[in-house]
Amino acid sequence: MPQIPLDLDGYTDLPAGKIAFVVTFLEMLERPSSSQTAQRYDVELVPWEKPDPKGYKALFRQIGEDWLWFGRLTAEDADLANLLREPGLELFLPQVDGEPVGLLEIDYTDKSNPELAYFGLVPGTVGTGLGRWLMGQAVDMVWSRPETKRFWVHTCTGDSPQALGFYRASGF
């Protein structure tokens, strides 16, 4: 595939049918002092130990369709199943009345530098405080491990316009 020359001083023309994303990497070098999460009795965080690829893709699509999430949707089911069972990858489902309302994936492959791999909520739950609660759960899990030195995430312009501000407000 030919390289497209990037013009950092202006605009870069892209071939027809292509879109560009700006990726931002953020890190958290210590537990934020405001990471205490308010107790919620309407939601339960459940480990997702053996996700079925079809069920995973359906939830992934429901969460990310408006934000052009595609990364896991293009994988063959067998490949995705293997990826989701990789040592170090932990998946969780926030559930309300037994139904998944989001997805939390933390990649501990590098135990000192865990990555917030995927974080999202289904439409209709955004703006309810559920995201703040879920992020608090993630922060508490990551920083409860003594080997953690840095918690990091990346987001892009293809994600929710609220994502970057949300991550910054969460301590990244």
Side-chain angles (χ1 to χ4, degrees):
M1 177 180 285
Q3 290 288 329
I4 299 170
L6 182 63
D7 180 357
L8 296 178
D9 293 321
Y11 296 97
T12 299
D13 291 325
L14 297 176
K18 300 292 181 183
I19 58 174
F21 293 102
V22 174
V23 179
T24 301
F25 292 84
L26 301 158
E27 63 184 1
M28 183 185 293
L29 299 176
E30 61 187 13
R31 179 192 296 260
S33 59
S34 62
S35 70
Q36 286 91 14
T37 306
Q39 182 68 30
R40 290 193 60 146
Y41 298 100
D42 61 331
V43 62
E44 177 183 19
L45 192 60
V46 178
W48 199 7
E49 295 179 4
K50 293 183 181 178
D52 166 63
K54 288 185 184 359
Y56 178 93
K57 285 181 178 181
L59 180 61
F60 191 89
R61 179 175 281 114
Q62 185 181 11
I63 293 167
E65 189 166 44
D66 289 344
W67 314 120
L68 304 177
W69 284 19
F70 62 88
R72 300 276 173 87
L73 298 176
T74 60
E76 296 293 327
D77 286 354
D79 294 336
L80 180 60
N82 289 333
L83 175 80
L84 296 176
R85 291 185 181 112
E86 283 285 322
L89 186 64
E90 295 186 12
L91 291 84
F92 300 89
L93 295 173
Q95 295 184 344
V96 174
D97 297 327
E99 291 297 317
V101 293
L103 175 66
L104 169 62
E105 287 187 36
I106 303 172
D107 185 348
Y108 291 101
T109 303
D110 179 345
K111 292 178 179 13
S112 296
N113 298 287
E115 176 188 8
L116 183 64
Y118 282 100
F119 180 96
L121 301 173
V122 299
T125 60
V126 176
T128 65
L130 183 59
R132 185 95 27 232
W133 176 85
L134 185 58
M135 182 59 75
Q137 300 298 307
V139 167
D140 288 346
M141 280 190 272
V142 165
W143 289 107
S144 70
R145 297 178 180 214
E147 61 268 31
T148 298
K149 303 284 186 253
R150 175 180 77 126
F151 185 27
W152 68 281
V153 64
H154 69 275
T155 188
C156 71
T157 52
D159 207 347
S160 165
Q162 300 161 315
L164 185 57
F166 174 78
Y167 291 136
R168 286 182 171 153
S170 298
F172 287 95

